[in-house]
Amino acid sequence: MACLWGAFLLCAGAAASAPAPSPLEAGIRAYRAGDFGTALELFLEARAQGPESDTLLFNLGLTYYRLGNYTAARQTFLALRQRPSMTAVAEYHLGLVAAQVGQMDRATAHLRAAAAGDSVELRRLARTALERLTDRPVARASTAYALLGLGFNSNRNQISETIRITGPEPESAYAELTGVLQYPLPRLADTDLRASVFRRDYEKDNALDQTAVQLSLRRTWRASPWRVTLAAESVAAFLGGGSLLSEYGLNLEGVRRVGSSTLRLRYRPSVIEGGSGYEYFDGQRHRVELAGEFPLGDFQMQAGYEAEINDRRDRRVGDQFYSQSPMRHGPYLRLSRTLTPDLTLDLNAAYRRSRYRGVDRFVQDDTMHVERRVENLAYLGFALRLRVGPAWGLRLDYRYTDNHSSLDPYDYTRHVALLALEWRY
């Protein structure tokens, strides 16, 4: 992406004319002539003479960027961001730097901050850059993310929509740890390896503590106007120290621009193997998703529709009959807005209808009751992220789930809140 906003300050600095130009003025002339090496020497000379003006820091950052020294460019623009009148300009260029090294999440955060600035022209440039990010290949640099927080779950017994563990005191505080590492494979173009781990420890006891480990290998191709990504994925989930399930699958995704919007198509087939005591999870699952991303006023909006088909093993155990092959589908909506350069708000909403293949049979009031399981799930949530440093942030997360089921044991509500410290590299 070109460094478009630089024209103003470059021209402003070049307007001054003197018989003996200062190092800053001479550096701007060298930059405009395309002699970035000489420009860097002159800007560093001007910096040594001090003091550091906004114009000097800006042009020094631009020169580092042109020379491909993205680490130095980032540090310079981070210093520039501390100047109140230059915050939005610095955010824009920090976004460009992050995009060049493949740190797309960080690039998006910086560009969204620039898009919330006061300058109409800068907002336009930032939104244009955000649109172009979609057409870039997968990350070319290693990235890492970590989250450590404390939370509260009002219904921890409901592990998922299909598994509920009966136990005392369903509400509990918990500690949560998440880590993600993405590493590009240098010998395979546009290919990266991703690993993630999730751990949740409840205060009450260890029976419902959860752990999940995921590995994926992704490859991206450009087939204009589409960008296609194919990933091989594996997930291992554990409950209370024992194996809950293992999942192996593919993730095929196509992305393309449609006007000012981004269209995403995704298909995810997988094979599931239940752990000891959860054999009824054995089977296959197929998921399809259609989504669109587009700006809506000051918000970045994503709207989509998901459908899921399960073909799992139905088993009779004693007096219970497990029918765990649901068909699910429903829409979702996600909104994101940068409130200030350091504060971002995300809003999420979803609705999903589930219909199970067979009937559930259970004893109630000494009578045999038979009924098909049908559910309507509504979900609402929000997340506030406050950046407290170049790589650090605070996150406040709240989620509300309301599941209406035709069978009382699966009819539930849940509140989950989390306050966490985030780190990105």
Side-chain angles (χ1 to χ4, degrees), residues 46-220:
R47 192 179 200 181
Q49 294 177 359
E52 292 181 343
S53 66
D54 294 350
T55 303
L56 173 58
L57 278 179
F58 178 83
N59 287 287
L60 181 59
L62 286 184
T63 305
Y64 279 131
Y65 180 88
R66 292 293 190 182
L67 291 171
N69 189 342
Y70 299 122
T71 300
R74 173 175 168 76
Q75 293 303 317
T76 305
F77 285 125
L78 284 174
L80 184 66
R81 192 176 65 178
Q82 303 304 314
R83 314 288 179 93
S85 63
M86 302 298 291
T87 297
V89 175
E91 290 284 5
Y92 173 72
H93 288 85
L94 284 168
L96 300 189
V97 170
Q100 286 295 332
V101 298
Q103 297 174 346
M104 297 310 174
D105 290 342
R106 179 178 285 177
T108 300
H110 286 306
L111 291 171
R112 285 178 176 172
D118 296 331
S119 169
V120 175
E121 178 65 12
L122 190 58
R123 289 201 302 267
R124 182 187 66 81
L125 291 173
R127 289 176 178 173
T128 300
L130 282 168
E131 293 173 0
R132 291 178 181 174
L133 285 182
T134 308
D135 297 327
R136 299 184 65 88
V138 295
R140 299 189 302 274
S142 298
T143 60
Y145 171 83
L147 176 148
L148 178 63
L150 299 175
F152 178 82
N153 189 342
S154 68
N155 191 357
R156 64 186 176 126
N157 292 347
Q158 193 72 45
I159 304 300
S160 69
E161 286 77 10
T162 54
I163 177 172
R164 180 177 184 272
I165 305 298
T166 302
E169 298 182 287
E171 70 281 350
S172 176
Y174 64 86
E176 182 172 314
L177 172 66
T178 300
V180 181
L181 174 64
Q182 184 170 299
Y183 178 75
L185 302 181
R187 296 186 179 182
L188 297 175
D190 297 335
T191 303
D192 66 76
L193 179 67
R194 177 169 177 164
S196 65
V197 61
F198 166 83
R199 175 68 178 175
R200 177 176 290 181
D201 283 308
Y202 284 104
E203 177 190 18
K204 299 292 185 181
D205 53 56
N206 298 326
L208 299 183
D209 290 347
Q210 302 170 38
T211 303
V213 179
Q214 180 176 5
L215 293 174
S216 66
L217 182 65
R218 303 190 307 172
R219 173 68 187 271
T220 298

Side-chain angles (χ1 to χ4, degrees), residues 264-341:
R264 294 181 181 271
L265 302 174
R266 181 180 295 172
Y267 171 54
R268 301 177 64 187
S270 60
V271 176
I272 301 175
E273 297 179 359
S276 176
Y278 304 99
E279 292 89 349
Y280 54 84
F281 281 143
D282 291 356
Q284 302 177 13
R285 176 165 58 197
H286 299 265
R287 294 174 174 173
V288 293
E289 178 183 353
L290 171 63
E293 301 174 10
F294 49 91
L296 182 66
D298 293 329
F299 286 90
Q300 188 68 20
M301 178 176 178
Q302 182 183 52
Y305 202 94
E306 293 181 305
E308 174 184 318
I309 299 176
N310 288 269
D311 184 12
R312 302 181 187 171
R313 181 186 302 167
D314 293 340
R315 299 175 58 87
R316 184 186 300 275
V317 180
D319 293 331
Q320 286 188 307
F321 179 81
Y322 295 92
S323 175
Q324 303 291 343
S325 294
M327 296 180 61
R328 296 178 170 136
H329 62 93
Y332 66 85
L333 179 66
R334 299 165 187 163
L335 296 170
S336 180
R337 180 179 179 183
T338 300
L339 303 178
T340 71

